[in-house]
Amino acid sequence: DHAVAVFTSGGDAPGMNAVVRSVVRCGIHHARDVFAVYEGYQGLVDGAGKIRKMEWTDVQMMIYKGGTVIGSARCKEFREREGRLAACKHLVDRGITNIICCGGDGSLTGANIFKLEWASLLEELRSSGRVTDAQAQKYANINIIGCVGSIDNDMVYDGTLTIGTDTALHRIVDAIDAVQSTASSHQRTFVLEIMGRHCGYLAWAAGVATGADYIFIPEAPSKHDDWESVLCAKLDHQRKRGARLCTVLVAEGAIDKFGKPIKTEYVRQVIIDRLGHDTRSTILGHVQRGGYASAYDRFLGSVSGALAVERLLRTKPEDASTIVGVKGYSVAFNPLVETIEATQMVAKHTEQLDFEAAIQARGKDFKRHWAIQ
Ligand code: ATP
């Protein structure tokens, strides 16, 4: 009979609202009290009006919306034990021991730390009289499930896409299509910067989907010392055989073979200086995150939220925390700790230019293999 809480944390991603709606309704369906925590971990730390009991109709008309209606925040206090102590107290006061966290690897790391620390937090609250012996006994364990909300698609797990990636990809492709019609009218070259932090998935997938001429992603830097010449030879060849427009996509984390960042503006200048193309650059920025959630992200968020609740209600105290992944028509529950560790290892190896090690750390997750090969 313990209550369920859901929150969104870290960068917002389209499809997070579908998760919240689905958790609320699935929890109510199972006769549980369901709370939405507003402003991510900040809401857990602050308590009071930021942890609100939800009714069925409170989540109507939100499945299609982008961003996150219940808010997200970066919260310094939750990184400290004092903040987590306050969060523990606020949850116990409301009888909440089932938590669904929708966020990126940072948010899920925080959730895992919270779970591991729960017993000692509770003991500190009990011994200082802030929770009763009965409460400490009843709420001795906390269950956590993660749903990965991130447009970057940077989680190493058994799941095809993270929640938000598909919408971002649609936005990017729409923007490139729009830019291409103006570029071809004037025989221009466009250099577009694509989000994704250390993950090149969005740039790579958008490049394939729009037939870009050149794509820079962090996972596969050019093998050439002088990548500028390779890029220009390619663009020159395209133009000479009649292409009226050229597009170059630069992932925000793109690097050269020495690990030096490749900046959009620099790429533009190289093309102007060496080829004389009429070259413009566009940083797509937050346009990529905005707007309505795509059909797939609504589906992904809804299925992930519902399955997270189903799983939580079957979780035993000794069970490890999991992350929900959806792959095709099946669902996989990935171990939370190992998944986060693998994700952070891939980021670290990529940063250190050790791509073989990054591939090893990816294990059976082939998303970035495709990009690299
Ligand atoms: P995105 O992928 O969009 O950056 P994220 O979930 O990785 O999302 P972070 O800013 O890394 O975003 O984390 C969000 C919040 O999670 C932090 O502001 C903090 O409150 C909490 N958090 C992250 N790491 C930890 C940690 N090691 N311990 C406790 N809390 C953490």
Side-chain angles (χ1 to χ4, degrees):
D1 63 339
H2 294 191
V4 175
V6 58
F7 62 90
T8 54
S9 175
D12 62 292
M16 282 181 159
N17 290 320
V19 173
V20 172
R21 171 183 174 276
S22 180
V23 168
V24 167
R25 293 196 169 172
C26 196
I28 292 172
H29 170 75
H30 284 287
R32 300 295 174 119
D33 283 348
V34 185
F35 292 83
V37 182
Y38 283 67
E39 316 304 339
Y41 285 115
Q42 195 63 53
L44 278 186
V45 172
D46 295 347
K50 288 194 180 153
I51 307 179
R52 300 186 206 157
K53 185 159 176 289
M54 303 299 272
E55 305 301 337
W56 191 270
T57 51
D58 290 335
V59 289
Q60 65 193 9
M61 303 296 287
M62 70 191 264
I63 193 169
Y64 62 89
K65 289 185 179 160
T68 163
V69 170
I70 64 171
S72 181
R74 314 257 179 207
C75 171
K76 277 208 197 86
E77 289 106 306
F78 195 79
R79 291 178 182 273
E80 309 298 327
R81 187 177 162 89
E82 270 313 299
R84 297 194 290 273
L85 202 60
C88 178
K89 162 92 174 120
H90 293 139
L91 292 175
V92 168
D93 284 347
R94 291 163 181 79
I96 301 167
T97 58
N98 296 297
I99 290 193
I100 293 164
C101 166
C102 183
D105 61 320
S107 304
L108 299 174
T109 302
N112 185 50
I113 289 170
F114 194 41
K115 179 175 166 69
L116 296 177
E117 226 181 31
W118 183 261
S120 84
L121 294 171
L122 207 52
E123 177 50 27
E124 188 173 336
L125 291 172
R126 192 200 61 78
S127 57
S128 58
R130 284 183 278 172
V131 304
T132 64
D133 289 352
Q135 281 179 312
Q137 201 177 6
K138 185 166 180 191
Y139 304 119
N141 183 56
I142 187 161
N143 303 318
I144 292 180
I145 303 244
C147 293
V148 189
S150 168
I151 65 164
D152 302 334
N153 203 29
D154 56 354
M155 191 63 66
V156 177
Y157 76 153
D158 203 10
T160 314
L161 291 175
T162 57
I163 298 162
T165 303
D166 183 64
T167 306
L169 195 51
H170 278 282
R171 276 314 90 77
I172 294 163
V173 167
D174 279 350
I176 296 174
D177 286 350
V179 148
Q180 283 186 335
S181 44
T182 150
S184 65
S185 310
H186 297 274
Q187 289 211 32
R188 282 194 177 128
T189 295
F190 262 88
V191 183
L192 297 129
E193 184 173 310
I194 311 290
M195 277 183 168
R197 294 192 303 170
H198 49 262
C199 182
Y201 178 83
L202 282 176
W204 167 70
V208 172
T210 57
D213 296 289
Y214 213 93
I215 312 170
F216 291 97
I217 58 170
E219 294 88 342
S222 169
K223 293 179 181 60
H224 305 276
D225 289 6
D226 180 15
W227 57 262
E228 292 92 336
S229 297
V230 178
L231 166 73
C232 290
K234 168 83 190 266
L235 297 182
D236 192 40
H237 176 68
Q238 292 291 78
R239 191 53 64 87
K240 283 190 175 133
R241 72 174 177 200
R244 291 185 57 81
L245 72 96
C246 293
T247 45
V248 177
L249 305 189
V250 184
E252 67 182 346
I255 46 176
D256 66 14
K257 69 182 269 197
F258 307 107
K260 194 170 138 231
I262 294 181
K263 295 288 176 202
T264 308
E265 209 33 49
Y266 176 72
V267 174
R268 184 181 87 96
Q269 207 51 54
V270 165
I271 299 168
I272 293 174
D273 294 346
R274 299 200 187 184
L275 297 176
H277 286 192
D278 178 1
T279 309
R280 310 293 164 102
S281 61
T282 303
I283 295 174
L284 294 184
H286 281 74
V287 163
Q288 297 162 88
R289 292 189 117 84
Y292 294 138
S294 71
Y296 187 71
D297 278 328
R298 297 180 204 189
F299 166 80
L300 192 56
S302 301
V303 169
S304 304
L307 287 158
V309 172
E310 299 286 345
R311 173 84 175 202
L312 268 181
L313 301 186
R314 279 186 279 119
T315 302
K316 299 186 197 72
E318 63 274 19
D319 291 343
S321 299
T322 51
I323 293 178
V324 189
V326 175
K327 196 170 183 179
Y329 294 106
S330 62
V331 171
F333 287 96
N334 302 263
L336 190 141
V337 175
E338 288 82 345
T339 302
I340 301 293
E341 277 172 5
T343 300
Q344 290 172 348
M345 282 310 273
V346 170
K348 190 170 143 233
H349 290 315
T350 306
E351 218 165 80
Q352 295 170 343
L353 309 180
D354 190 349
F355 301 108
E356 274 312 309
I359 290 172
Q360 291 298 322
R362 279 237 139 208
K364 61 183 174 169
D365 174 2
F366 288 102
K367 281 194 289 279
R368 284 155 99 181
H369 277 184
W370 295 343
I372 291 165
Q373 287 159 2

